Amino acid sequence: MTSSCSIPGLNVARSRFPEPEQDLPAEEGEQRVVLAGGCFWCVEAVLIAMDGVARVESGYAGGSPETANYEAVCTGTTGHAEAVDVHYDPARVSFGELLRVFFSVAHDPTQLNRQGNDRGKQYRSAVFYETLEQKRVVESYIRQLTEAGVFSDPVVTTLEPLEAFYSAEAQHQNFAARNPGQPYIMAVAAPKVEKLIDGFSDRLKPEYTGADTNSKASS
């Protein structure tokens, strides 16, 4: 177990992260993006707080259906990543804005096959794209981060085509909201949500503005 504050990339201020130069058009209707950045409990807790995000589902991407279960994925040998399926309203939050929070708050994209003490390929940083347009925007933003020297180490996020997303077991859904006092949530998810509240108050759902961090680490 590790505090997210001990993960170097998570100490970089919002001001260091540029606005995306490229983005997807604000099409009508709900859109989705599947992201992986370590433990899905924590990534879910951050992204669900963003205004315009309708729902976030924890699950697995990158492997076969036969081994898409928590016990198997935890071995790190199935090819899956713990991932979240983010459904959002592009009229309220853009794909690029979600990427900015994903790279600056939800995880440290410079850690290869790990996040803090969570180690293994299942904890890799990845964007599972559905369209070439999504891939193009992600590639562009990673290039921006690199050229701006935001991180002292290279971004190692992989771009992988989304072949399927497998929903995780019921006990993993909305885990942080249901278990705010759980030690891992308090040590890892809560500091990330605190950073989101401090740095992105203009991008939060109203109920998160000025909210108590521990109780909202996963509301």
Side-chain angles (χ1 to χ4, degrees):
M1 182 185 308
T2 181
S3 168
S4 64
C5 295
S6 67
I7 302 176
L10 293 178
N11 294 321
V12 182
R14 171 184 176 171
S15 59
R16 296 284 307 279
F17 290 84
E19 297 281 352
E21 293 177 349
Q22 296 188 35
D23 210 336
L24 297 182
E27 299 177 353
E28 292 187 6
E30 189 174 270
Q31 302 295 314
R32 72 185 292 222
V33 58
V34 174
L35 303 170
C39 174
F40 46 26
W41 297 344
C42 304
V43 180
E44 177 192 66
V46 169
L47 295 178
I48 195 60
M50 293 190 67
D51 186 45
V53 173
R55 62 187 176 91
V56 181
E57 184 176 12
S58 291
Y60 315 106
S64 66
E66 292 79 12
T67 54
N69 62 79
Y70 191 70
E71 183 177 358
V73 172
C74 280
T75 67
T77 62
T78 68
H80 296 91
E82 287 195 13
V84 294
D85 187 4
V86 183
H87 292 251
Y88 66 98
D89 178 357
R92 295 169 61 190
V93 60
S94 75
F95 181 73
E97 289 170 330
L98 289 173
L99 290 180
R100 191 181 185 203
V101 168
F102 174 66
F103 281 103
S104 65
V105 180
H107 81 307
D108 180 351
T110 70
Q111 296 203 336
L112 182 63
N113 295 333
R114 61 177 288 214
Q115 283 294 299
N117 288 342
D118 292 329
R119 300 169 184 266
K121 192 175 181 180
Q122 72 273 29
Y123 297 116
R124 67 187 181 274
S125 172
V127 177
F128 292 88
Y129 61 89
E130 286 193 289
T131 67
L132 292 179
E133 288 76 16
Q134 282 187 339
K135 182 182 181 184
R136 172 181 55 79
V137 173
V138 178
E139 288 174 333
S140 172
Y141 195 60
I142 292 176
R143 185 164 55 250
Q144 280 186 259
L145 296 177
T146 301
E147 292 175 352
V150 173
F151 298 106
S152 57
D153 296 315
V155 172
V156 296
T157 305
T158 60
L159 279 75
E160 306 176 35
L162 180 65
E163 297 180 357
F165 176 83
Y166 308 102
S167 179
E169 297 81 353
Q171 64 264 31
H172 296 297
Q173 305 303 332
N174 204 25
F175 184 89
R178 295 184 295 101
N179 301 275
Q182 203 262 9
Y184 184 91
I185 294 303
M186 295 179 69
V188 184
K192 292 181 180 181
V193 177
E194 181 178 8
K195 180 180 180 181
L196 181 73
I197 291 171
D198 289 344
F200 289 87
S201 59
D202 57 323
R203 301 305 310 151
L204 298 177
K205 291 173 179 171
E207 61 265 32
Y208 282 83
T209 304
D212 175 75
T213 301
N214 288 330
S215 64
K216 290 297 183 184
S218 26
S219 288

